[in-house]
Amino acid sequence: MNKLKQLFLLILLLFLVSIVFSQNPNGYYNSTDGLKKEALKTALHNITKNHTVLSYSSLWVVFQSTDALPNNQVWDMYSDIVRYYPSTAGLNREHSFPVSWWGGSTSVPCYTDINHIFPSDEAANNRKSNYPLGIVGGNPNYDNGVIKVGQNTFPGFSGLVFEPADEYKGDFARAYFYMVTCYQDYYNQWNPNYMYMLEANTYPTLKPWAIQLLLGWHRNDPVSEKEVNRNEEVFIRQNNRNPFIDYPELVEHIWGDKMDDFFFVDIESKPVLATPTNETKLEFGTIESGKSLELELFVKGNNLTGSGLYFDLVGINANQFTINTNSITVAVANAGYFLKVTYKPTSVSNLHNAAIYIEGGNITGSVKVNITGSSITPITPPVALPATNVTSNGFRANWQSDGTNIYTLDLFIVENGDKIFIDDFEHIETNFYDVSGLEPLKTYKYSVRKWMLGVLSDPSEEITVNTTVSINNTNQIEDIYFYSFNENIVIQNKSNKNQTVEIYDILGRKIEQFELSPNETRTEKYGYGIFLIKNKNAIKNKNAVGKIVNINY
């Protein structure tokens, strides 16, 4: 009996050790020990923000490990359509946390952060748009049996929302908790037009209603085996983790029922590399021969000692890759260092591979990082043509096609002189694409890229499009034209002199007065309701002329 008891205790001890290791691999979460609320969130931000920034083209390769069912079936959380890798037809690389929310930049790390990007059915993705998460009422605008889009019924927000299936609500909640933590320093980049769920601060970063929604989803749909496995696959490629999958209770310590309780973690005290870990993968994907692509490998040690940490680039194709240094001091490694790895293929190949061995610092053995890339013949960008069928809410984008290629259309909006990315429309097999759902009297730009063997060409030249106003919906007070859509009123001065405009609510209270320069257009968001617009420069019986605008739900 004593021997059986000892064996049981040994097995239990090994089990507990394995749990601790899986949750705090090599001291990855050491700096969170003894913290709570804002301090804990900021510590997690400082841990997760340092990671390898993947290339956008490599995401299709990464998905085959992070989002695949048996037999290489695509694990699509947006539809029940069965598809198989390596084909990506009908799929999008869906940013669950919309790109437009951080201003549309495609040159920031979150644009390719696989912790919130999933393969998605293209039609479902388009209907999801950039709506916030929520609970859809009884008459959805879109329902494919997996996701819904429609009016929100969850208290705290009125408007259109996207609702995932119950089995994935926790997945999306934890992805959002990750995004507002890893990128909490983006708070001054949040697009003011899309602050549905966000606050412009580093804590709590989410609006109260959004916290309650996500907390409920997080609690009712606990971490699944799918998420655990995906987290590991992400870690060996992107070099960071979603802490709310490793430690679900972190959510409670930051936003929930344990905000007054300190969070504790088992500290790793021996010399180790927190990142990268052994057999990490640095995947460049496919690029054009003669071009180069740089990825950064975040190297972070815990308790390293000795003279230094050393990097050795080896392999049959090592000459296709370079690293920016062969060694760093242990002080630099313990603080964290980005090792720059560059892939510049000089020949066309289906596979270039090499490895970086990291040793020193008194770590046990060495850490191996596997590097792969492939290259194709350079692609000639397509030629974009002027838009046709321009209306108040859309247009047809055109380009030259040889009839054998697939294209991607990139759409941007110009606001205050800044070009902001809206969306990319992929897998287009024609020489045109009909863009819809735009705003009137706005300036848009589009460019086109050719898709060959999993690689996108450089973009074409950009085409500028100015949406119009539907004449049937346009009101006029002499030289002032105005038009309402959603919660906005668009007011345009079509004269060659300044015009003064006054806006009143239904009770006759003046909301705002402003002056429009010649040919200036101004969009104001007043919400739903009935408003009176006056043109003070219009003369009729010596009184200002006014008209009523009804902004309907």
Side-chain angles (χ1 to χ4, degrees), residues 212-255:
Q212 294 308 310
L213 174 79
L214 298 179
L215 276 174
W217 289 6
H218 171 70
R219 292 164 179 166
N220 294 330
D221 178 29
V223 173
S224 63
E225 183 181 1
K226 170 190 183 295
E227 289 178 272
V228 172
N229 293 338
R230 190 180 198 274
N231 203 27
E232 295 301 328
E233 294 293 339
V234 170
F235 182 50
I236 64 175
R237 289 167 175 82
Q238 189 169 280
N239 241 347
N240 78 340
R241 309 179 67 87
N242 185 334
F244 307 107
I245 294 174
D246 287 331
Y247 288 99
E249 63 270 30
L250 281 167
V251 172
E252 303 293 345
H253 287 277
I254 296 173
W255 295 282

Side-chain angles (χ1 to χ4, degrees), residues 397-436:
N398 302 292
W399 57 90
Q400 291 181 1
S401 170
D402 59 14
T404 61
N405 291 303
I406 298 175
Y407 299 89
T408 291
L409 176 72
D410 296 319
L411 181 65
F412 306 85
I413 188 171
V414 179
E415 293 184 340
N416 300 319
D418 296 326
K419 186 180 72 173
I420 301 172
F421 175 80
I422 296 178
D423 205 351
D424 54 3
F425 305 95
E426 301 180 312
H427 305 294
I428 305 171
E429 298 183 3
T430 59
N431 62 345
F432 66 89
Y433 187 85
D434 290 319
V435 181
S436 61

